Amino acid sequence: MLTGEEALSFLKKEMKSHPSLAFLDGAGMSTASGIPDFRGQTGISRVASRYGLSYERLLSIDELNEDPATFFDFYWNFLVHDKAEPNAAHRAVASYEGPIRVITQNIDGLHQKAGSKDVVELHGSILRNHCLSCESAYSLDEIPHRGIPRCPKCGGIVRPDIVLYGEELDYEALSDAEEILEESDVLIVAGTSLRVYPAAGLIYSSRAKAKILVNAEPTPLNSFFDAFVQGDVASILPEVLK
Ligand code: NAD
């Protein structure tokens, strides 16, 4: 596996011919937009301990069902950043001149806000919500951003359409992601610790001739890649995606 300057040169060379690109990312993609990741240097895992619970528990279907007040307190305070704007990394992805298909673990909607059209949201989106009782759908703007949101029609709890710990991923999203990975010439994985499954395991569906990881720190799956470019996605991606 290439690292350092060699890895960056490899990535630049691969991108020169504008190959079809599968771009798989995670929370590190949005830290430059002011949204903390989970496991990075200033991640949410540290604040979760204030609740005396792990963030896996705080963001689980069991927590939502058994203690919705705590679930939503954590959710509104640490997961929802409705003023966040796309950063240079999102904009670089959106303006790439070759064919690009995005697979994101993020729930913040920033790829679409930057202009990306082809985005598979593996873990759903905070922008979509629905009532647990009558299933009415609500956008983020239509519900109060504090406390337990209640459905104006039936009084049921309105939950975000995100995949919580203890829930399965959407079958269609997973199979779309697999198809993208099988069909693309180059795979870039960016801003993810590759510790959350089944998302992380998706990389093994890739048939790309070049597989490149761009991340602030090494991941447990580094040996899978041809090159590891270590650093900030918001400075590296604009430099290589033209
Ligand atoms: P993670 O927190 O486990 O890992 C993020 C990785 O990105 C870390 O390795 C970190 O070092 C790296 N990183 C942080 N900032 C970076 C930067 N500017 N440039 C390059 N690398 C950077 O996140 P994950 O792997 O996505 O898994 C966490 C889960 O949490 C995901 O399923 C996701 O749905 C959810 N999450 C989403 C958001 C969001 O939507 N923005 C935010 C937090 C968590």
Side-chain angles (χ1 to χ4, degrees), residues 26-28 30-31 35-40 105-108 123 191-194 196 215-217 231-233:
S30 297
T31 52
I35 305 178
D37 60 12
F38 277 1
R39 297 172 189 80
Q105 299 171 80
N106 293 344
I107 54 175
D108 54 31
H123 295 158
T192 170
S193 65
L194 288 175
V196 176
N215 204 54
E217 58 192 355
D232 179 7
V233 289

